[in-house]
Every structure is written in structure tokens, then in C-alpha cells.
Amino acid sequence: MSSTSASTSASTPAPAAEEPVIAQKGPYKVELLAGYRYAWCACGLSKWQPFCDGSHTGSKAGLKPKVFTQEKDQTAFLCGCKRSMKFPFCDGTHKKL
């Protein structure tokens, strides 16, 4: 019976490896301001996409927002599918989904 327990405990880390929710299959065009700190939603659950509204708390382990300080004013395309390798910026990964 202990081997059954071991296999059950071996599968418990799976929730931490959950994929984020795809907020949209394309980027969000946003105006970023120099010197501002932004929190990009990494879990896909925020109602303020592409930014964090705290929806990740208590729902998806390990999917915390990516906080960054913008260096210059710019129009940017932030990832909406939550799978970019250049987060928070879109790298076109959504085209493969």
C-alpha cells in the first residue's frame, strides 16, 4: 500500500506545472511609460489583461506576475497567450497554439 502512496505523492507536484490560461491568442498593444513599474499577468486569469489584478492568488501555484520597470516611453505588444519566451513581450508563440 505504501507504493500506492508513493505514486500519489509523486503526482502531487503536477499543479505547480500547470499551464497558464490563454487570455487571448495574440498580443495586447499598450502604451508603457518610462519609470513606471508594471506587473504583467503570467497566469492568464486577470480581468485587467495584460496586467495583474491579483487573480493568481490561491489559484495557480508558481504563476506570479512578472514585475518590470519600463526604461523608456514606448508602444509595446505584451504577450496574451502567456507562453512567450521574451515575457512580458510577445514573441509570436501564439501563432503555434
Side-chain angles (χ1 to χ4, degrees), residues 5-94:
S5 300
S7 77
T8 304
S9 64
S11 64
T12 46
E18 285 186 52
E19 292 287 322
V21 171
I22 297 172
Q24 74 176 25
K25 284 188 178 180
Y28 290 93
K29 183 179 178 181
V30 296
E31 298 297 324
L32 300 176
L33 302 175
Y36 279 77
R37 280 184 64 195
Y38 294 95
W40 172 76
C41 171
C43 71
L45 298 173
S46 175
K47 293 188 182 359
W48 299 344
Q49 290 295 334
F51 303 107
C52 177
D53 69 358
S55 293
H56 64 278
T57 55
S59 57
K60 298 231 180 218
L63 295 176
K64 295 180 180 171
K66 307 301 180 192
V67 178
F68 65 99
T69 301
Q70 183 62 23
E71 294 180 15
K72 62 181 181 177
D73 290 351
Q74 78 177 84
T75 300
F77 294 89
L78 300 187
C79 178
C81 73
K82 310 303 176 185
R83 286 157 177 78
S84 173
M85 298 305 282
K86 295 182 179 183
F87 61 79
F89 302 100
C90 177
D91 68 357
T93 299
H94 62 273

